[in-house]
Amino acid sequence: MSGDPAFVGVRQPTFDAMVGRHTRAAAQIDQLAQALWAELNRVQLDTSPAIRLRAMAGRLRAQATDLQRRQRLVHEMERQKIDFTFRAGGGTFWELPDRLGAIQARVDGAEAADLAGKAAAGDRTALSRLMAFAAEAGDPHFAKALLQGLGPDGIITLPAALAQRLRRDMDGRDPSLGTDEAGVQSALRLLSKALAVGTDPSGEGYLGDAYLDRLKAQGRAEHRLPADTYAGYQSLATLLDLSEGHPPFSARFMRVVGSDMIAYDREHRPSHPPPSTPPPFAPPYVPGLPRARPEDGSAPIPDLTGLLHLGWALTPAGDRATAEPPARGRTDFLNGLLHAAGLSKASAQALLSQTAEGQKNSDLEYLLHERRARWAYTDHGTRLGQTMKAAMSGHDATSQHLFKETSELLGRDTRRYFTYDKDHHLKFTNTDGHADDLSGLRPSLGDILCSHLKDVAGALFGDVIGGGAPRGHPSPRDIDALLAEAGQNDDAFTALVKSGIGRARVQLDQQYSGGQGVDAVLIAQGGLLGHLLAMRREVLIARGATVDTANQQVKELIGKGIGLVPVPYAKLFSGVPASLYKELADNQYGKVGDWLFSQTRQDGGSADEDAAAATDEQAVRRLLRQMSLSAAIDHFNDSGGRALGEPFADEKGHILPWDRWADDSRAQSRFIDWCEENNFAAPRMSQTLETVISNSHDDAVNSFNGAGKTP
């Protein structure tokens, strides 16, 4: 046996002899069964023994057919010199899977490796034939055979050879360029998927830790093209950038290879400070001119697309974010790594939670702080933000740790550019020209904050609502800085407002459903929204936006009664009863906020001049009053309460939504009397809540009152 329960071992030529004997035995027993049946039938005796013997012959024939198929595969592997052998006490054995499909997948993987080598040498027919194996790339047996056939060096050199072929097509204006682009993209996607399968320790195709170590060594090695040299990691990054995440690269791959790519980048970063703004364009491609480090040496190490100036040639049409290649021809090899890591939470966490051997600072600190200026050469941290979002998308210990570290790093850097001014407002100074180097990260930062609203509220108001700020969570000062950084981006701000409003409404409904007080919820959510609006207003004004446009959208929605709209949880959460919506809604605040926004825009009245002219604090008060009253009415109706015959109720006695009778003075007057007669008290704002809301702007701005220096 091979040691793997899914495989058997066979030895040649013994296996051939066994197959021959088994085939002959099946034929001989079948002949015997026929002769026996004829004889028994002639003498008119029971023929069932002959029938049973014929059934045995049928089983033997089926077994012989199966063995012959396996034999043909062994012969094919011998012909192609595919080595699936292992040594045991009895000699050298062929390792054959028990499933014929697995054997065929291994043969196909070995053939694909051979075709890949021919395609790299310029054989267009081989490239076309290789594309036929795309559907098998995720099969562990295919992937293992392909990667074994190529070896770690082939994983590195194949993408570079195919990319160089496209460069030659471009230089020679070859009419086959379009066909070659499609073929190369397909081949590299196949290889990327197979590499993810073959480097996953949890799968059947895992090639072992030694393979990862050899791949890492090849990544650091210098390789040659006809007119260039390149680091292996530049080629590997191109493969990673083509990953579709089905399956994602494993956490093990990220810890071993991914973290070493970051370490390699650390070792090769420029020794001098980057310029305050990147050079306006990358130098033009010149055939034969080495381009290992373009421009002034401060640009990031490119992948193959950047090295060879391939534009979109290696990017499938569906993945092209813009009409023209981004960043004016520049690429960053770490973006390919971050793309692959960001397709899986486990992979993203494995990559970002490492600290390289011999380094004091974590890889996250290197990427987010030390490397900040180099992201401006490409996507301004968009891929980094997406990977951070994947890594911090929960409340597990790793997510919490990474969120706290992010708050410290970004908080410190944000305070370099926004400082407390003597007029009690924020002042923006782009001290080194790098304030917006991570502007592409802001949308993801907004999503990260949405995932951690509980931590945000606890950090800001834990001491007010009881229990103190949670241990190990971000400081209030850093939270305000994150809100300021994210608030500079419209999408991030909108996501935060929606999630904040959605969380406030969900938690109020949960408190009423459980018969609990709502003051702590109102304090935490009112204060959070107050800080968010304050930071949005301050950063936009500090950067030159007008006061009128800072938070107008939110105040208009509040003026239209967004807090009064009842939330149909059963509809939003697929019919889940109210008693269970807490488990779902805790992670769906944005969904609730989206629904409230859409309903308010469709209906809900119009924002009056008083609402439009209200301060941020007045807007928050109005929102909380709307929500608390709406939640109280919903709870009254859900608990079986009735207000029969009242002008603010329907014919069944259910209290109508506030916006249905808000303009009816008689209904309002009667509602007040009815509340007193029935001991129905709509929530009132406590003095603590009033204080928190009134002070939210000053508290947020005062968190910047101090040196925001970077160590």
Side-chain angles (χ1 to χ4, degrees):
M1 297 295 290
S2 68
D4 184 338
F7 290 81
V8 295
V10 299
R11 186 174 58 183
Q12 287 287 62
T14 307
F15 182 57
D16 283 344
M18 182 193 74
V19 173
R21 288 196 299 270
H22 205 92
T23 302
R24 289 192 297 273
Q28 291 168 353
I29 292 176
D30 186 61
Q31 292 173 358
L32 176 62
Q34 293 180 40
L36 179 60
W37 187 90
E39 187 63 25
L40 292 173
N41 184 61
R42 185 180 65 80
V43 297
Q44 297 185 338
L45 293 176
D46 181 13
T47 58
S48 58
I51 294 173
R52 289 195 297 272
L53 194 60
R54 178 171 290 182
M56 179 190 298
R59 291 194 296 272
L60 286 173
R61 280 198 305 273
Q63 293 169 358
T65 299
D66 177 73
L67 288 171
Q68 287 169 340
R69 291 173 64 188
R70 293 174 186 263
Q71 182 185 39
R72 287 194 295 272
L73 287 169
V74 171
H75 291 169
E76 181 64 16
M77 288 188 286
E78 287 179 319
R79 185 186 70 79
Q80 295 189 33
K81 297 182 172 57
I82 302 171
D83 186 12
F84 292 152
T85 61
F86 64 94
R87 294 194 63 80
T92 299
F93 290 79
W94 283 87
E95 188 179 78
L96 287 182
D98 284 341
R99 291 179 289 110
L100 288 176
I103 303 176
Q104 186 62 57
R106 285 198 163 197
V107 172
D108 290 348
E111 183 181 355
D114 181 61
L115 290 172
K118 293 176 180 177
D123 187 336
R124 283 194 170 96
T125 301
L127 182 61
S128 177
R129 290 175 58 196
L130 181 60
M131 293 168 64
F133 291 106
E136 292 189 70
D139 184 289
H141 307 290
F142 175 90
K144 191 171 187 177
L146 171 62
L147 299 181
Q148 284 176 329
L150 291 174
D153 55 335
I155 297 296
I156 298 298
T157 57
L158 175 61
L162 293 177
Q164 179 65 39
R165 173 179 180 163
L166 296 181
R167 183 67 258 173
R168 285 197 301 268
D169 285 354
M170 293 177 180
D171 292 342
R173 301 183 182 276
D174 194 314
S176 301
L177 174 61
T179 302
D180 285 347
E181 281 185 4
V184 169
Q185 290 170 15
S186 177
L188 295 186
R189 277 198 159 170
L190 180 155
L191 182 56
S192 178
K193 189 171 189 174
L195 184 61
V197 172
T199 54
D200 181 0
S202 67
E204 293 182 76
Y206 186 53
L207 288 160
D209 291 352
Y211 195 94
L212 285 176
D213 289 337
R214 290 165 57 203
L215 183 62
K216 187 169 69 172
Q218 287 293 325
R220 285 180 164 270
E222 185 177 275
H223 301 265
R224 294 198 62 81
L225 289 171
D228 285 293
T229 61
Y230 64 96
Y233 279 145
Q234 292 176 268
S235 182
L236 181 60
T238 305
L239 269 187
L240 298 178
D241 202 29
L242 287 166
S243 172
E244 297 176 293
H246 308 295
F249 280 85
S250 68
R252 177 65 179 166
F253 178 91
M254 292 299 163
R255 290 192 188 98
V256 175
V257 179
S259 62
D260 192 61
M261 291 176 73
I262 297 174
Y264 182 86
D265 189 70
R266 282 191 195 236
E267 296 161 16
H268 292 81
R269 59 182 169 175
S271 57
H272 52 83
S276 58
T277 57
F281 59 86
Y285 174 81
V286 179
L289 177 66
R291 293 170 298 283
R293 292 308 297 264
E295 304 172 63
D296 60 358
S298 64
I301 300 171
D303 62 7
L304 294 177
T305 291
L307 180 72
L308 298 175
H309 287 225
L310 295 178
W312 285 132
L314 290 177
T315 307
D319 296 342
R320 299 174 184 179
T322 57
E324 297 297 328
R328 299 175 183 175
R330 299 187 184 92
T331 61
D332 185 336
F333 87 117
L334 286 189
N335 272 335
L337 170 65
L338 291 169
H339 164 73
L343 296 173
S344 157
K345 178 179 178 179
S347 300
Q349 289 187 340
L351 184 69
L352 297 181
S353 61
Q354 300 293 304
T355 299
E357 185 177 352
Q359 297 289 340
K360 294 181 180 180
N361 300 332
S362 68
D363 285 351
L364 179 60
E365 179 167 358
Y366 171 68
L367 295 171
L368 198 57
H369 171 66
E370 296 176 38
R371 202 182 190 270
R372 179 185 180 102
R374 295 172 73 188
W375 297 114
Y377 283 81
T378 53
D379 68 350
H380 288 266
T382 299
R383 288 277 182 88
L384 174 60
Q386 291 166 350
T387 305
M388 291 168 60
K389 175 183 171 180
M392 303 178 210
S393 60
H395 297 284
D396 55 280
T398 303
S399 290
Q400 296 291 102
H401 171 77
L402 290 172
F403 179 58
K404 184 175 189 299
E405 186 178 3
T406 295
S407 73
E408 293 170 349
L409 295 169
L410 277 181
R412 194 169 60 195
D413 281 349
T414 300
R415 288 189 294 271
R416 294 176 62 190
Y417 307 108
F418 291 98
T419 55
Y420 182 83
D421 205 9
K422 58 185 178 181
D423 62 355
H424 307 297
H425 291 286
L426 291 187
K427 177 182 178 181
F428 174 74
T429 308
N430 196 355
T431 54
D432 55 7
H434 296 299
D436 292 321
D437 287 348
L438 288 175
S439 59
L441 182 142
R442 289 169 185 154
S444 293
L445 178 60
D447 292 334
I448 292 168
L449 285 164
C450 290
S451 297
H452 291 268
L453 284 180
K454 180 180 179 181
D455 304 319
V456 172
L460 292 174
F461 304 107
D463 55 340
V464 177
I465 61 179
R471 290 185 178 182
H473 285 214
S475 70
R477 188 179 188 222
D478 288 334
I479 288 296
D480 279 323
L482 291 187
L483 293 176
E485 182 66 28
Q488 297 173 74
N489 178 270
D490 291 344
D491 291 338
F493 174 70
T494 300
L496 279 165
V497 169
K498 287 181 178 180
S499 290
I501 289 177
R503 185 174 194 263
R505 182 57 196 258
V506 166
Q507 294 210 329
L508 282 170
D509 286 337
Q510 288 172 354
Q511 292 296 100
Y512 273 111
S513 179
Q516 300 171 324
V518 298
D519 197 48
V521 171
L522 292 173
I523 290 171
Q525 296 309 118
L528 189 156
L529 288 168
H531 277 246
L532 174 60
L533 293 175
M535 287 293 90
R536 167 73 167 180
R537 171 180 290 273
E538 287 294 326
V539 295
L540 290 187
I541 294 174
R543 299 202 67 164
T546 63
V547 177
D548 293 338
T549 60
N551 295 327
Q552 196 66 23
Q553 179 193 34
V554 177
K555 289 193 285 186
E556 287 177 356
L557 291 169
I558 294 171
K560 290 180 179 180
I562 189 172
L564 296 170
V565 181
V567 179
Y569 292 102
K571 177 181 178 182
L572 284 180
F573 300 121
S574 303
V576 175
S579 59
L580 297 179
Y581 67 59
K582 180 181 188 305
E583 295 180 19
L584 292 173
D586 277 348
N587 295 316
Q588 299 286 338
Y589 300 135
K591 187 172 184 177
V592 174
D594 273 334
W595 191 86
L596 289 170
F597 268 51
S598 66
Q599 295 302 304
T600 308
R601 283 173 177 154
Q602 292 171 12
D603 197 2
S606 60
D608 55 37
E609 292 183 4
D610 290 341
T615 65
D616 294 341
E617 293 80 6
Q618 290 168 335
V620 171
R621 287 191 191 92
R622 184 169 185 169
L623 172 67
L624 295 181
R625 288 194 187 100
Q626 291 174 356
M627 283 191 172
S628 57
L629 177 58
S630 179
I633 290 173
D634 285 350
H635 176 63
F636 173 82
N637 289 333
D638 289 342
S639 60
R642 294 293 181 267
L644 291 169
E646 300 293 348
F648 49 81
D650 63 17
E651 65 276 5
K652 294 181 179 180
H654 296 117
I655 299 178
L656 295 167
W658 171 264
D659 61 328
R660 298 275 296 276
W661 47 278
D663 295 330
D664 186 339
S665 59
R666 174 177 168 271
Q668 289 190 37
S669 177
R670 179 56 194 147
F671 179 70
I672 294 171
D673 293 339
W674 180 86
C675 287
E676 293 178 355
E677 294 167 5
N678 292 272
N679 294 319
F680 180 84
R684 299 180 183 276
M685 292 200 173
S686 68
Q687 185 57 50
T688 302
L689 174 58
E690 289 282 357
T691 301
V692 166
I693 294 175
S694 297
N695 293 341
S696 57
H697 174 274
D698 289 346
D699 287 346
V701 173
N702 283 337
S703 68
F704 287 78
N705 191 2
K709 296 178 181 178
T710 302

